[in-house]
Each structure stands twice: as C-alpha cells, then as structure tokens.
Amino acid sequence: MEPQQRSPLLEVKGNLELKRPLVKAPSRLPLSGSRCKRRLDQMEDVLEPEKKRTRGLGTATKFATSHHRAPVVTTVPQTQGQTAAPKAPRKTGPRCSTAVATVLKSQKTVPTAPAQKPGTAAPPNLGGKKPSKRPGWDLKGQLCDLNAELKCYRERTQTLDQENQQLRDQLREAQQQATALGAERRTLEGELARVRAQAEQGQQELGNLSARVLELEERLGTQEGLVQELQKEQLGLQAERRELATRLEEQERRLQTSEAALAGSQAEVASLRQEAAAQATLLAERGERLHGLEMERRRLHNQLQELKGNIRVFCRVRPVLPGEPTPPPGFLLFPSGPAGPSDPPTHLSVLRCDERRGTLSGVPAPPTRHDFSFDRVFPPGSGQDEVFEEIAMLVQSALDGYPVCIFAYGQTGSGKTFTMEGGPAGDPQVEGLIPRALRHLFSIAHELSGQGWTYNFVASYVEIYNETVRDLLATGTRKGQGGECEIRRAGPGSEELTVTNARYVPVSCEKEVETLLLLARQNRAVARTAQNERSSRSHSVFQLQISGEHAGRGVQCAAPLNLVDLAGSERLDPGLALGPGERERLRETQAINSSLSTLGLVIMALSNKESHVPYRNSKLTYLLQNSLGGSAKMLMFVNISPLEENVSESLNSLRFASKVWLPPSPAPSGPLATGFLHPHPFCPSGQGTFIQKGLTMASHLQHTSI
Ligand code: ADP
Ligand code: MG
C-alpha cells in the first residue's frame, strides 16, 4: 500500500513509539551522583567553620560531625531535590535559630540579653550567615551553639531519611509501573500482530470484494439490459392486457347472454332428459322387440330354407367358349316352369343322338331326350350375380348359426372353379361365390353389429388329392408342396374337426379374402406343374368358421360355411391302353370316384335318416361331417358343359345330381318323344322335398358311374 493509505494499525504503532519516552518518569528517578556530591560539598562548606571551631572539643564534637554527615549522602529525587534543595536552607535556618534560642534559654547562666545586644555572641545561623563568633572564653556559649547546631542537623537527617524513604517508595512504585507498562507493551504488541493479521486478511477480503464488485457490475449491466427488455415486454403486455380486458368485457357480455340462454336451455334439457328417458325405455322395449324379431326372423328363415329343402341342387350350364364347336340346335333345352317364362328355369332337357342304335336298325334313331328337374337351372347366359342371388339366403343361414355346404360337381372344364372362385382376377363381374359370399357375410355382420352382435370369421383352404389333405394357404417353404395334413378332432370328446398343419386365417374384409384366394391359386399352380393338372383331380375345400355373439343377451351362434370345388367327375376311357401314366390316372380316378360315391351315399343316408352315415369312407365326407345333416344346409351345383361331345359326362353328372334332388311326385323316366315338351309334373321346387326325398332316395341310387 501507499504511504498515505497507512493502516490504522501502523498509526497505533507509531503512537506507541512516540509515547514510550512519555511513559518514562525521569523525574522520579534518583538524582545523579554528582548532584548528591555537590550537596555534600555544600554541607561540608557549612560545617567547615564548626569543624574548625570544634577541633579542640574532644570526642563529643567529632561525634556530632560524623553523625550529621550520614544522612546528607542519601539520594534525593530529582523532582523534589530541585525544589527541596533551595528550601532546605530556608527551613533549616529558622529551625536552627529556634533550637539555638531554646538552648540559650535553657542556659540559666547565660542571659539572653547579651545575645540581642550588638557585639554579643549570636545564636548559630545555618542559613549562611554565621553567628557572630563567641569570645574564646565563652565556651559554654559555643557549646550551646554547637548543640543547637547538632540538633538542627539531626532533625535535618531525620527529614532526609523520611525523604529518602519516600523516594524509595516512589522508586518501587515506578518499577511496578515499568513492569505494568512492559506487560501492557507485550499486550499491545500481541494486539499489533493480531491487527496486522487482520489487516492482511482485510487486504485479501478487499481484493475479493473488488473482484466481486467487478462481477456484480457486469451482472448489473446484464440485469439492466434485462430490465430494459422486461420494461419493453411489460409495455407490450400492458397493451395486451388492455386488449384482453376489452375482450373480457365483451366475453362477459356474451356470457351473460349465454347464461340467460343456458337457463332456458337447462329447462329444455330437463324436459329433453325426461323425453330421452322415455325414449330410452321405448328404445329398450324396441331393442327387445327387435331382438325378438331377429330371432324370429332366424327361425322363420331356417324354416323357409328347410321348406325349400336342406339338400338342394342347382344346375349350371357354362357358355360355349371361343374356339369351341357350336352345339347343334336343341341339344340343351330349358323348359319353362308351371308359371310360364317368367318363372326361373328349373328344368333341363338334353337331346342325345344314339348313333349305335341307328346303325343296328339301319335307320337313324331319333334323338333321346333326357329331362331333369332341379331347384334351379342356370342357362349359359346366367351371370355370377344371378347365381349368387340364389345362394345368398343360404349364406344368411350360415350367419344365423346353421352349417352350410355348397358343392360344385361336374366334369373337368364344366365351370366348377369359375362358379366357386370366379374368372380372371380383377373383374368384379366374374367374381365367384366365395368372394361374394364373404362380402355378403361381412356386410350383414356389420348391420347386425348395430343390434349388439359381434362376428368373427376364420378361413382355411385345403385340397384333398388321392385321399391326402394339403394346405392351400401354406406360405414360405411349405408353399405349393407343404407337408401332408391330417384331419383331427379339436380336442378329446370334441365334435369340432381341425386340419393339422393347415393355416386358419382370421378375415374381416374382402381384401384379406382376395389375398387368400390368390395364395391358393399360386399353391395350385405350383402343384399343377409338378403333378400335371392335379387341381382338376382334387377337391378344394374353402372353410369359413363363423362365430357370433350378442354379449348383451348372452346369445351365441357358430357355424361353418363350406364352399367345395369337387374334383372332375369324368370317367377314364375304358379303351385306353394301361401304361404307367394311365395306371396312375386310373388310381386317381378311382380315388375321385370313391370319394364322390361316398359323398352321394352320405347324402342319401342323411336323407333317409339312416342310423349309420359313412362319413369315414372318404377324407372329404370326414372333413365335412359337421356341415352335413341335421339342421345343416347343403347345396350342390352340377356344372354342365354345353358341348355335344361332353354329353355323356353331362348326363352322368345330371343323373348323379338327380339322386341328390328327389322330386316329391313320380319322376319322369325313359326317353321322351323328340320335341315333346310335356308339362313337368314336378311340384314347385323345395316344398317338403327333404322328407319325401329321404323316403325314396335309396331306390334311385342306381348311378352307374358311382
Ligand atoms: P372346372 O373347374 O370345372 O374344370 P373351369 O371353371 O376351369 O372348369 O372352367 C373352364 C373354362 O370355362 C374356364 O376357362 C372358365 O373361364 C370358363 N367358364 C366356365 N364357366 C363359365 C361361365 N359361366 N361363363 C364364362 N366362362 C366360363
Ligand atoms: Mg377347376
């Protein structure tokens, strides 16, 4: 630090240094030796005349002289000495004079008068003025003077002793003070050190505080900037606040209006609530009634389907394809029903020219007419939608909880796959029954969801070839040539059947179904290249497990919908040579015929309500056993080729189908006259046919191809 900023501590030290000589008490110290000596010399000077006078007085005089010298040597404090020394003679003078006077008074022999007389002996004068010298003869007077003088000195000695004692006391006191001052000095030095340390600490703190001040100044600058920003913001907010206040006022006005409106509305709401409660009660009643009606509809629908026949047969004739020979006119006839042309066709007549009969008789034999009657006949021009319309009711039955089975039967190329799956993908006009049925199901399930019903659909698609089951929905490594599947019961004691290794895919929209059908086609295509048109030699079974639940009423329903594209029903040409390929083909054909025959026998047994139904005789009937019989609905499409060259197979198919569909009245048999279209004796299709069919089915099972 600079000199002018001297710390308070240093100032204290300076003061202490300055005061130190002041603390000393020089005045109290004893007189120097020279001064004492001078005093003694003066005493000697005073005593010298007496010495000279008393030399002859013997021991008494000597004693007095030596006696009064001792106290003169004692030290006298300078302060008192300076004042006491001049006084001593003054005090001594009169005192000695008094003593001498006293001595003179006590001497009776010596009169006082001569002493007062001029020229007489004067009393001793120690003040400097020597008494007048007594005459030599006045020894007594001299002695008296000497005694007085001696006494005076003694007193003086006593006084000096007292002073000496006082000085000693003062000296002791001064020493004590010096000791105390030394202690005080050490205390002050300690204090000085502490103050110095404090000063250093203060310096450090000062440095820290300076840095802190700088920092705070910086922060102050920042804060000031912030304050300015905040002030700006505050201004903005104030403006905003004013605006908001205005808006608040506006809102309050509107609120008041709204409150008034609310009061009105509340009253209205109360009345509406009452109305709603009444409506809810009504709705519940209507819901109850609707549910009752729905159940009634299901019952009636089922009754209607049963009246139409639990086993129904539709015949479909495909159109002549481009490049195929046109059949002769009248080869296939579609006679009108009893109600005339407006009636949907249910009859089909096939004209067949028997060339062998003509050759034997030599005359061409007239064509043989074969008449067939079914629940419905679809001529070649019938579209897919028209066909679906007829089966939509059956699909509804499946949704209502009744198992449904729809078969497509016929020779290869007669249009079975076209009927079931449809034509080329992407053309909605040629969509088959499977996509249409599923779309219909999804749509109705959606409608029923409004009534509290929830439906789930799970699809599977398998094919049965040579009595082996294969998954058509296999993916990945199993695609096209997946391992064999087995038909097993879902669990011990369970009636439900399941196919092991097969995929069961939940579906909920058309897109998913399309994907599955495409996958099945791909799987069949792979198999086709590997095993030569295997698809036409196998049964394809599309199964949809439908389950519905009305949680509110605790009602459930579940049923399978089966759409089966059967293997080609054609027989092997008996004239063919039996090479290795043909033998394989023969084995395939026998397997197909066996399974188709079993299907016919199962249907017959069900129709006849026989105790034993041979489901186990083929994989197909075993797989479908839960969808056949009882309240199950079965529909068979018999697909017919329009070509004359296929007439034999067409007739076989029609005869097979006729065994399934049995008219209630005597069926026509035998050839009919050419061009004779007799009124068909069949009653309207479906009316009570199921029971009547059952009674007479056995007598009609004469199909040679089975
Ligand atoms: P299948 O499955 O019985 O062997 P397809 O369904 O494969 O016979 O039909 C053979 C051919 O006939 C296919 O080219 C198909 O497109 C065509 N076809 C079948 N039925 C019809 C129809 N109703 N309308 C138009 N084409 C059809
Ligand atoms: Mg096919």
Side-chain angles (χ1 to χ4, degrees):
M1 293 298 290
E2 295 178 9
Q4 56 266 34
Q5 292 177 339
R6 194 170 175 183
S7 70
L9 184 66
L10 293 176
E11 286 175 4
V12 170
K13 189 190 171 194
N15 289 339
L16 285 172
E17 285 168 352
L18 288 171
K19 280 176 185 175
R20 192 174 295 146
L22 296 175
V23 172
K24 283 183 179 177
S27 59
R28 293 182 188 179
L29 291 176
L31 290 171
S32 61
S34 60
R35 195 172 290 179
C36 290
K37 197 176 178 181
R38 195 165 54 241
R39 285 281 298 169
L40 285 174
D41 292 343
Q42 286 173 357
M43 296 281 287
E44 287 286 339
D45 292 341
V46 171
L47 292 175
E48 195 58 33
E50 274 82 5
K51 278 182 184 175
K52 289 174 182 171
R53 281 193 304 267
T54 57
R55 263 173 204 154
L57 290 180
T59 54
T61 308
K62 285 178 184 172
F63 169 74
T65 307
S66 61
H67 182 74
H68 88 265
R69 278 190 181 178
V72 176
V73 177
T74 57
T75 56
V76 178
Q78 195 176 353
T79 48
Q80 286 184 356
Q82 286 171 348
T83 52
K87 283 177 185 175
R90 280 197 302 265
K91 282 182 181 177
T92 306
R95 212 179 281 170
C96 289
S97 304
T98 311
V100 170
T102 309
V103 169
L104 291 175
K105 278 176 187 175
S106 64
Q107 290 176 350
K108 292 176 182 175
T109 56
V110 181
T112 55
Q116 292 171 350
K117 287 180 183 173
T120 59
N125 188 359
L126 294 176
K129 206 175 184 179
K130 288 182 179 179
S132 58
K133 201 172 179 178
R134 289 180 187 268
W137 51 269
D138 192 7
L139 289 172
K140 202 176 178 179
Q142 286 178 3
L143 183 61
C144 188
D145 288 344
L146 284 171
N147 282 337
E149 194 175 351
L150 182 62
K151 191 180 178 182
C152 186
Y153 279 122
R154 277 178 182 162
E155 286 174 356
R156 177 87 181 272
T157 303
Q158 273 184 348
T159 307
L160 287 172
D161 282 345
Q162 285 175 354
E163 283 181 359
N164 187 24
Q165 188 59 41
Q166 281 177 354
L167 287 171
R168 282 178 193 275
D169 291 344
Q170 284 176 357
L171 177 64
R172 202 179 306 116
E173 194 181 331
Q175 282 173 342
Q176 283 175 353
Q177 279 185 357
T179 309
L181 284 171
E184 191 180 354
R185 183 186 160 206
R186 280 192 296 280
T187 309
L188 288 171
E189 279 174 355
E191 196 177 342
L192 178 65
R194 190 171 52 77
V195 168
R196 274 185 182 150
Q198 279 181 355
E200 283 174 11
Q201 192 182 347
Q203 287 293 335
Q204 279 184 354
E205 281 178 9
L206 186 65
N208 292 340
L209 286 171
S210 300
R212 177 86 179 132
V213 164
L214 286 174
E215 187 190 336
L216 287 172
E217 280 175 355
E218 270 182 30
R219 280 178 63 186
L220 181 66
T222 315
Q223 296 290 337
E224 280 175 353
L226 200 61
V227 165
Q228 284 180 352
E229 280 179 24
L230 286 171
Q231 281 173 344
K232 278 184 198 166
E233 200 175 333
Q234 188 189 10
L235 288 173
L237 286 170
Q238 281 172 349
E240 201 175 332
R241 189 179 135 233
R242 281 193 293 277
E243 190 189 335
L244 284 171
T246 316
R247 281 173 61 191
L248 182 66
E249 282 175 16
E250 175 66 22
Q251 294 289 343
E252 278 175 351
R253 273 198 298 278
R254 286 173 63 188
L255 182 65
Q256 284 172 355
T257 317
S258 299
E259 277 174 350
L262 180 67
S265 298
Q266 277 173 342
E268 201 177 336
V269 164
S271 75
L272 282 173
R273 275 198 183 133
Q274 283 180 348
E275 204 176 322
Q279 293 283 348
T281 313
L282 198 65
L283 201 63
E285 282 172 13
R286 286 194 177 162
E288 188 75 29
R289 202 161 149 230
L290 195 64
H291 181 69
L293 285 172
E294 170 63 18
M295 299 314 283
E296 180 66 7
R297 183 201 62 73
R298 288 184 184 211
R299 193 183 65 76
L300 289 173
H301 180 81
N302 187 49
Q303 210 172 343
L304 178 67
Q305 297 308 311
E306 281 181 355
L307 286 172
K308 280 187 172 184
N310 276 3
I311 300 173
R312 270 177 271 173
V313 179
F314 290 175
C315 177
R316 186 178 193 188
V317 182
R318 76 161 170 85
V320 177
L321 299 175
E324 288 181 337
T326 311
F331 170 63
L332 292 173
L333 297 170
F334 302 93
S336 301
S342 60
D343 247 7
T346 54
H347 309 301
L348 171 68
S349 298
V350 181
L351 290 178
R352 185 182 187 184
C353 297
D354 196 336
E355 290 169 1
R356 284 177 301 174
R357 280 178 61 199
T359 308
L360 287 171
S361 62
V363 184
T368 311
R369 173 171 169 159
H370 300 271
D371 291 327
F372 299 93
S373 181
F374 301 104
D375 290 284
R376 179 73 195 264
V377 173
F378 293 99
S382 306
Q384 296 281 63
D385 50 345
E386 206 178 329
V387 174
F388 179 73
E389 244 177 58
E390 282 295 320
I391 68 147
M393 300 292 267
L394 278 181
V395 174
Q396 175 72 61
S397 285
L399 205 67
D400 290 349
Y402 299 96
V404 174
C405 240
I406 300 175
F407 296 99
Y409 179 94
Q411 70 175 113
T412 300
S414 60
K416 300 183 296 296
T417 306
F418 184 90
T419 301
M420 283 298 171
E421 289 189 18
D427 185 356
Q429 289 293 322
V430 293
E431 263 187 346
L433 295 186
I434 296 176
R436 285 173 192 266
L438 269 89
R439 190 187 307 136
H440 188 62
L441 285 171
F442 294 146
S443 164
I444 300 173
H446 181 68
E447 280 175 24
L448 286 172
S449 68
Q451 291 181 30
W453 284 90
T454 310
Y455 276 94
N456 288 308
F457 304 96
V458 179
S460 65
Y461 208 175
V462 296
E463 72 171 5
I464 301 170
Y465 171 75
N466 268 350
E467 291 300 282
T468 57
V469 184
R470 204 168 63 96
D471 185 14
L472 286 177
L473 301 182
T475 52
T477 52
R478 294 176 60 238
K479 195 169 179 177
Q481 48 205 337
E484 284 184 16
C485 304
E486 289 298 326
I487 304 163
R488 296 249 188 279
R489 297 216 169 266
S494 169
E495 288 294 312
E496 198 184 334
L497 292 171
T498 183
V499 180
T500 59
N501 293 331
R503 283 178 70 211
Y504 285 83
V505 186
V507 287
S508 56
C509 65
E510 298 164 37
K511 196 76 193 161
E512 290 170 352
V513 177
E514 272 175 32
T515 310
L516 293 185
L517 293 180
L518 190 68
L519 181 60
R521 276 185 196 180
Q522 288 172 353
N523 271 324
R524 276 206 214 98
V526 175
R528 187 177 295 137
T529 33
Q531 299 183 25
N532 187 24
E533 286 293 334
R534 192 172 108 177
S535 66
S536 63
R537 316 299 298 159
S538 63
H539 310 300
S540 300
V541 184
F542 181 89
Q543 281 192 312
L544 187 75
Q545 305 291 338
I546 305 169
S547 56
E549 184 181 10
H550 194 298
R553 298 183 188 279
V555 185
Q556 291 180 338
C557 62
L561 170 64
N562 302 279
L563 297 155
V564 186
D565 185 354
L566 292 168
S569 61
E570 63 274 11
R571 293 160 297 171
L572 263 186
D573 188 345
L576 278 176
L578 288 177
E582 283 73 23
R583 269 201 292 273
E584 176 63 22
R585 194 68 187 257
L586 181 63
R587 207 169 66 82
E588 275 180 7
T589 308
Q590 282 169 346
I592 294 165
N593 282 345
S594 169
S595 66
L596 290 175
S597 176
T598 302
L599 179 64
L601 288 169
V602 164
I603 294 170
M604 187 187 72
L606 289 169
S607 300
N608 292 337
K609 294 195 181 299
E610 290 173 14
S611 58
H612 176 69
V613 182
Y615 291 120
R616 288 180 172 273
N617 288 2
S618 80
K619 287 276 167 61
L620 179 68
T621 50
Y622 186 64
L623 177 64
L624 297 174
Q625 60 184 290
N626 290 333
S627 303
L628 302 170
S631 60
K633 311 287 176 281
M634 197 190 83
L635 172 67
M636 183 172 282
F637 275 96
V638 54
N639 289 93
I640 299 295
S641 162
L643 305 181
E644 193 179 22
E645 62 191 54
N646 297 128
V647 67
S648 178
E649 289 299 332
S650 297
L651 285 173
N652 276 338
S653 298
L654 290 166
R655 283 177 188 138
F656 177 83
S658 293
K659 279 177 234 160
V660 178
W661 190 91
L662 191 68
S665 53
S669 60
L672 296 173
T674 307
F676 175 72
L677 291 174
H678 64 88
H680 209 283
F682 301 160
C683 68
S685 69
Q687 294 207 354
T689 54
F690 185 76
I691 303 300
Q692 291 174 18
K693 271 194 293 185
L695 291 172
T696 55
M697 179 66 88
S699 59
H700 287 269
L701 265 176
Q702 300 296 327
H703 195 296
T704 51
S705 66
I706 299 178

